[in-house]
Amino acid sequence: MIDENLSLDDVRAIFANDQFAYAAGCSIVEASKHHAVCEMPLMKLHQNANGGIMGGAIFTLADFALAVAMNVGQPDSVAVDNNIRYLNAPKGDKLIATARMDKAGRTLAFVTVTIVDNTGRNVAIMTATGFRKA
């Protein structure tokens, strides 16, 4: 369990071990029990062959925000099911993911992550189920 009373810098230090997310440019803006906001600047490495942003890059940010929201102040949790809907191609130069816990049960957690770009354009919505380790 990651103590919900840790400073944001301490939470960032813990999640710095998520090397793939950090290599992709993901960072934590807010982290509290049942809530997280993470962002990722859009770079050339996120582009597909046609110059658009790869779905996998968007998914990576959503999954990272999900991990923060599910683990701060709660039992260690891992995602066991994710569903993402891509709504629009990003037009800005940064993505922002906001994760909120819809329900935190004894063994399962349900989370919704919304992803927008920095122009306010809706980019994607992820719903996920997490398994909470007892």
Side-chain angles (χ1 to χ4, degrees), residues 4 13-14 23 27 38 41 43 47 52 68 75 77 79 81 88 91-92 101-102 116 118 126:
E4 67 184 292
I14 291 167
S27 63
C38 299
M43 301 176 278
Q47 293 178 351
V68 175
S77 302
D81 179 66
N88 292 295
K91 296 296 182 190
M101 182 81 61
D102 298 316
V116 299
N118 59 317
M126 172 191 275

Side-chain angles (χ1 to χ4, degrees), residues 19-96:
Q19 295 178 24
F20 184 80
Y22 271 87
C26 298
S27 63
I28 302 170
V29 177
E30 297 175 19
S32 60
K33 187 174 182 176
H34 299 177
H35 174 80
V37 177
C38 299
E39 61 185 25
M40 180 177 71
L42 295 176
M43 301 176 278
K44 192 155 186 73
L45 72 94
H46 298 124
Q47 293 178 351
N48 61 25
N50 294 321
I53 301 302
M54 291 190 71
I58 298 166
F59 185 94
T60 295
L61 177 63
D63 190 53
F64 185 63
L66 167 69
V68 175
M70 281 198 313
N71 285 287
V72 171
Q74 300 171 86
D76 291 344
S77 302
V78 295
V80 294
D81 179 66
N82 303 73
N83 181 2
I84 191 163
R85 280 171 276 156
Y86 298 99
L87 306 172
N88 292 295
K91 296 296 182 190
D93 58 7
K94 176 171 56 173
L95 294 178
I96 301 113

Side-chain angles (χ1 to χ4, degrees), residues 95-127:
L95 294 178
I96 301 113
T98 302
R100 77 162 194 283
M101 182 81 61
D102 298 316
K103 181 179 188 309
R106 187 173 45 83
T107 57
L108 296 177
F110 301 92
V111 180
T112 300
V113 183
T114 57
I115 302 96
V116 299
D117 68 16
N118 59 317
T119 70
R121 184 178 177 92
N122 290 322
V123 174
I125 297 172
M126 172 191 275
T127 55

